[in-house]
Amino acid sequence: VAIKFRIMKNGTAAVLATPAATITQTLTGFSGSPSFLLAYAQTQEGITAPSDYNNLGSGSTNFQPITVALSALLSTAPGAPGIISGPDSSGYYTTTIINKFPAGAKLRSVSLQGYFSQVMPVTTPATADVPRHAVSVVKAITGDVVRRTAIDSAKCASCHEWFEGHGGNRVYQVQVCVTCHVPGLTTSGKGGSNTQISNYYPSFTANDKDSLTRWTGVDFLTSNPVAAYAASHASSPDIALTFPQTTNNFKDMIHGIHAGKDRATPIRIARNRGGTQTIVDGSRIGFPGILNNCQSCHTYNGYNLPATGTLLATREEAVNALGNTTAALANSALALANADDLMTSPFTAACVSCHDGAPAQAHMKLNGGQIKVTRTNLVSAGESCVVCHGSGADFDPVKTHK
């Protein structure tokens, strides 16, 4: 795939380092390196042309897109993922990334995310490099179907201003968010080792400790409970197995977070990233606007119920073929589409992420929706939601949510 791009600095096209075997600074005077995200869809659950990215076979855990660092593309060492030429007279570079998309991939897109940090002069005390966050961008591969745009990033900005996800690596543009927050993405907290959680314990906030205590039944408030838990649970000593797991598919996660404490069971997110633990407790979240005004976030036509049958089911929990009996097995389960994964059918997933009470769930199931069934038993085509909730129908979400 060939990508034409430029990096702007103070309104002027920046000049990247000259390609070489070893690259120490991608941009003179700056540390770090933005990267390209390559997202795509492959056939899944009988759907040959999904309307959602799934990144199957990317080699990344939890179905994340393929990542190619700008610094790697400037390297001329053997095994580099591609080459860069330029800049041209307008400051644009062209990079050719070699053989990264799998054969048969559809819905392909390339995003540029991340940022440089300006290297500061040596001082005493030392002055840290200054992050220079930049708006993320995304573009579909020429000739491919373009993924639907359901969210207006400018509307998100009316509350979040310059929304900066993941430490400023993804800024403002929601269409970049959906390249990673795909239907197969689930929270990773169950995969944290006892060592990771014990080491991170001093960094948990009081709210984190309270949430974990309520969710797990283990006392995180009084002291670090990891060693005592392991000693009293010799057959299954990994405390992370008590942590909740839920989907981080974008539509479900954002609905669940925004619904906050208005849900019957507020969303519970426990994430482990290399030992860093992130806790999001929906019971502490209140939506500042009118919750059923979908146009607070959506495009004007981004919340009609589609009838295409190409949306993918949501994975709620990743379940290893050997069972999630250890944190390591739970972590391994994230990388595969396992037969015992707990799945929710696609239309139902969008609705139950807000309407999670027992009567609402019963209604969805009565009309063919499936909630937390094993992947083996998933039949997404059984949903009949569109009969009453389709575009123009009596209970079209456009009519009932305003």
Side-chain angles (χ1 to χ4, degrees):
V1 58
I3 306 164
K4 188 175 182 179
F5 70 97
R6 66 179 177 180
I7 305 291
M8 303 299 289
K9 182 174 69 173
N10 297 328
T12 302
V15 178
L16 300 176
T18 301
T22 301
I23 299 295
T24 56
Q25 280 189 334
T26 307
L27 182 63
T28 301
F30 291 82
S31 60
S33 172
S35 59
F36 293 103
L37 300 177
L38 281 62
Y40 58 91
Q42 296 257 66
T43 297
Q44 186 172 5
E45 281 125 34
I47 300 173
T48 57
S51 294
D52 296 306
Y53 301 118
N54 56 13
N55 304 321
L56 291 181
S58 67
S60 178
T61 188
N62 234 332
F63 306 106
Q64 296 299 278
I66 296 164
T67 302
V68 180
L70 192 56
S71 56
L73 290 165
L74 287 168
S75 172
T76 59
I83 57 173
I84 285 183
S85 61
D88 63 15
S89 59
S90 298
Y92 281 92
Y93 288 85
T94 298
T95 180
T96 302
I97 299 176
I98 303 168
N99 297 330
K100 284 296 183 180
F101 284 115
K106 299 179 173 66
L107 206 72
R108 296 172 298 171
S109 73
V110 177
S111 304
L112 182 59
Q113 55 97 47
Y115 57 88
F116 293 105
S117 292
Q118 186 173 359
V119 177
M120 300 304 289
V122 176
T123 59
T124 304
T127 303
D129 292 354
V130 179
R132 300 300 185 189
H133 296 176
V135 175
S136 302
V137 293
V138 59
K139 185 168 177 38
I141 297 295
T142 302
D144 277 25
V145 172
V146 180
R147 190 196 184 278
R148 70 194 182 282
T149 299
I151 299 298
D152 185 336
S153 298
K155 290 181 177 179
C156 299
S158 64
C159 280
H160 296 284
E161 297 180 348
W162 288 101
F163 177 78
E164 300 192 3
H166 304 282
N169 279 294
R170 287 118 207 187
V171 178
Y172 187 79
Q173 178 53 262
V174 175
Q175 285 303 98
V176 174
C177 301
V178 299
T179 65
C180 295
H181 288 273
V182 297
L185 177 63
T186 62
T187 54
S188 53
K190 282 187 178 294
S193 69
N194 277 358
T195 298
Q196 288 175 327
I197 295 169
S198 185
N199 288 343
Y200 190 81
Y201 181 83
S203 298
F204 281 127
T205 67
N207 282 344
D208 291 342
K209 294 174 184 177
D210 174 71
S211 297
L212 288 171
T213 298
R214 287 187 286 106
W215 295 349
T216 67
V218 178
D219 181 9
F220 276 80
L221 288 166
T222 306
S223 60
N224 187 336
V226 175
Y229 182 89
S232 61
H233 295 76
S235 62
S236 183
D238 295 323
I239 198 169
L241 295 177
T242 67
F243 287 12
Q245 189 172 61
T246 190
T247 176
N248 267 182
N249 184 27
F250 194 75
K251 74 174 190 286
D252 313 320
M253 178 185 71
I254 296 301
H255 283 169
I257 290 173
H258 283 177
K261 57 189 176 184
D262 290 319
R263 286 199 350 174
T265 303
I267 195 168
R268 299 173 173 182
I269 293 176
R271 183 171 183 255
N272 173 57
R273 183 171 176 81
T276 299
Q277 310 294 314
T278 300
I279 305 298
V280 178
D281 187 342
S283 69
R284 304 183 191 281
I285 298 171
F287 188 66
I290 300 171
L291 191 56
N292 65 350
N293 177 15
C294 297
Q295 289 205 37
S296 295
C297 304
H298 281 276
T299 59
Y300 76 95
N301 62 348
Y303 56 107
N304 294 92
L305 194 65
T308 62
T310 59
L311 297 176
L312 294 173
T314 288
R315 181 166 73 162
E316 299 280 356
E317 297 183 30
V319 183
N320 197 292
L322 300 176
N324 288 356
T325 55
T326 67
L329 286 173
N331 192 57
S332 297
L334 299 176
L336 300 172
N338 309 286
D340 293 326
D341 288 343
L342 297 185
M343 310 292 293
T344 296
S345 48
F347 299 155
T348 299
C351 301
V352 78
S353 53
C354 281
H355 304 285
D356 68 321
Q361 291 197 37
H363 170 78
M364 296 172 205
K365 292 177 181 178
L366 182 65
N367 290 280
Q370 294 179 290
I371 301 172
K372 291 189 177 182
V373 301
T374 61
R375 191 184 293 272
T376 302
N377 293 318
L378 178 68
V379 186
S380 294
E383 291 183 314
S384 60
C385 313
V386 72
V387 174
C388 298
H389 299 289
S391 181
D394 287 346
F395 298 99
D396 181 347
V398 174
K399 297 179 181 179
T400 58
H401 294 82
K402 62 181 180 180

